[in-house]
């Protein structure tokens, strides 16, 4: 059974930093593309970043480029998102969906339950 | 940047057909994925690559994509289909994933 468990969310002040983790199990993690997608309270889905599978390509949304860094540790089956210079508009539930076909255009096949990040003073 | 446009809301009576559109410039040349999100839950892919139905998704769900519009069709709508629906593409010109704004489906 595929499982994705996001963690690391919480309350942080504007300008602060936070690192999210996504622990994966039940599939060959290294073959999957992994992404971060967020959803602000009461709003729609917003893509944040993708780390492809075997190709090892990385992509970022314009809104986070230069502030957020995606990484993965295939030996630990874990995806990370280092978030710096956080802003109020980064407040959202952060999901780490997995794409079994491993490339950037493939659908988000599996989702975790998300972790809430709140940026506020 | 590439934009996907969905109607914010759609209301359908039980047993009828819901058609949720997703508009984008020449979207027919892209692969469209559709997600269902119920309150308090993570999204679930219901249609991938325009018209493929993942395992476990009822046959009542189907998709099409041509020209400037992709469509998610739900036949014989049930109360349990009430949810937010999002379309999504990969825009190769910008190397970005793009989501539509979402459509809230209400079953009357």
């Amino acid at each position: 059974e595929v499982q994705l468990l996001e963690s690391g969310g919480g309350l942080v002040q504007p300008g602060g930093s936070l690192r999210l983790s996504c622990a994966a199990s039940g599939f060959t993690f290294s073959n999957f593309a992994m992404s971060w997608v967020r959803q602000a309270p009461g709003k729609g889905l917003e893509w944040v970043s993708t780390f492809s599978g075997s190709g090892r390509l990385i992509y970022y949304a314009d809104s986070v480029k230069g502030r957020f860094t995606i990484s993965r540790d295939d030996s630990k089956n874990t995806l990370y998102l280092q978030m710096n210079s956080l802003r109020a508009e980064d407040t959202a539930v952060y999901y780490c969906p997995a794409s079994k076909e491993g490339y950037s255009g493939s659908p988000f096949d599996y989702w975790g339950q998300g972790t809430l990040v709140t940026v506020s003073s | 940047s590439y934009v996907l446009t969905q109607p914010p809301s759609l209301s359908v009576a039980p047993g009828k057909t819901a058609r949720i559109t997703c508009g984008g410039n020449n979207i027919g040349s892209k692969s469209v994925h559709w997600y269902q999100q119920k309150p308090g839950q993570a999204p679930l892919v219901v249609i991938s690559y325009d018209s493929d139905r993942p395992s476990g998704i009822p046959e009542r769900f189907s998709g099409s994509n041509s020209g400037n519009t992709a469509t998610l069709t739900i036949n014989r709508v049930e109360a349990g289909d009430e949810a937010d629906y999002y379309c999504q593409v990969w825009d190769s010109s910008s190397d970005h994933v793009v989501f539509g704004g979402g459509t809230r489906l209400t079953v009357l």
Side-chain angles (χ1 to χ4, degrees):
Chain A
E1 179 191 6
V2 170
Q3 290 194 340
L4 296 163
L5 183 61
E6 300 94 339
S7 61
L11 176 63
V12 60
Q13 292 188 341
S17 298
L18 212 55
R19 188 175 86 150
L20 306 183
S21 299
C22 172
S25 61
F27 61 98
T28 306
F29 182 76
S30 60
N31 292 345
F32 279 52
M34 297 297 299
S35 300
W36 290 98
V37 172
R38 67 186 181 183
Q39 187 169 35
K43 302 298 184 182
L45 301 173
E46 181 188 12
W47 170 73
V48 173
S49 181
T50 293
F51 200 133
S52 70
S54 58
R56 292 296 185 258
L57 299 174
I58 292 175
Y59 309 94
Y60 294 100
D62 294 344
S63 58
V64 306
K65 195 169 186 179
R67 299 188 300 124
F68 291 9
T69 302
I70 191 172
S71 61
R72 61 191 294 165
D73 186 337
D74 290 351
S75 68
K76 295 182 178 179
N77 288 352
T78 302
L79 179 75
Y80 303 98
L81 185 68
Q82 177 66 44
M83 303 186 297
N84 299 329
S85 303
L86 282 161
R87 307 166 180 166
E89 54 264 35
D90 295 319
T91 294
V93 172
Y94 285 72
Y95 298 99
C96 68
S99 303
K100 60 187 177 185
E101 295 181 40
Y103 72 99
S104 52
S106 51
F108 299 129
D109 299 294
Y110 307 105
W111 297 69
Q113 285 306 303
T115 186
L116 175 62
V117 172
T118 303
V119 184
S120 175
S121 55
Chain B
S1 61
Y2 194 76
V3 176
L4 295 176
T5 301
Q6 297 183 237
S9 62
L10 179 67
S11 298
V12 177
K16 299 300 186 182
T17 298
R19 294 181 180 87
I20 300 173
T21 59
C22 176
N25 185 32
N26 198 25
I27 194 175
S29 66
K30 302 180 185 300
S31 290
V32 180
H33 314 305
W34 289 92
Y35 303 88
Q36 175 194 69
Q37 187 180 32
K38 296 181 179 180
Q41 296 185 17
L44 170 72
V45 60
V46 293
I47 292 291
S48 60
Y49 297 106
D50 299 341
S51 59
D52 291 346
R53 196 173 49 250
S55 174
I57 301 301
E59 292 184 9
R60 301 184 296 105
F61 288 79
S62 63
S64 63
N65 183 20
S66 178
N68 293 319
T69 304
T71 303
L72 172 68
T73 300
I74 309 172
N75 292 317
R76 301 180 301 282
V77 165
E78 303 174 356
D81 299 331
E82 194 161 275
D84 294 327
Y85 291 85
Y86 297 90
C87 57
Q88 177 248 311
V89 301
W90 171 257
D91 178 33
S92 57
S93 63
S94 63
D95 285 342
H96 280 30
V97 169
V98 181
F99 282 102
T103 298
R104 177 153 295 176
L105 176 65
T106 299
V107 181
L108 300 171

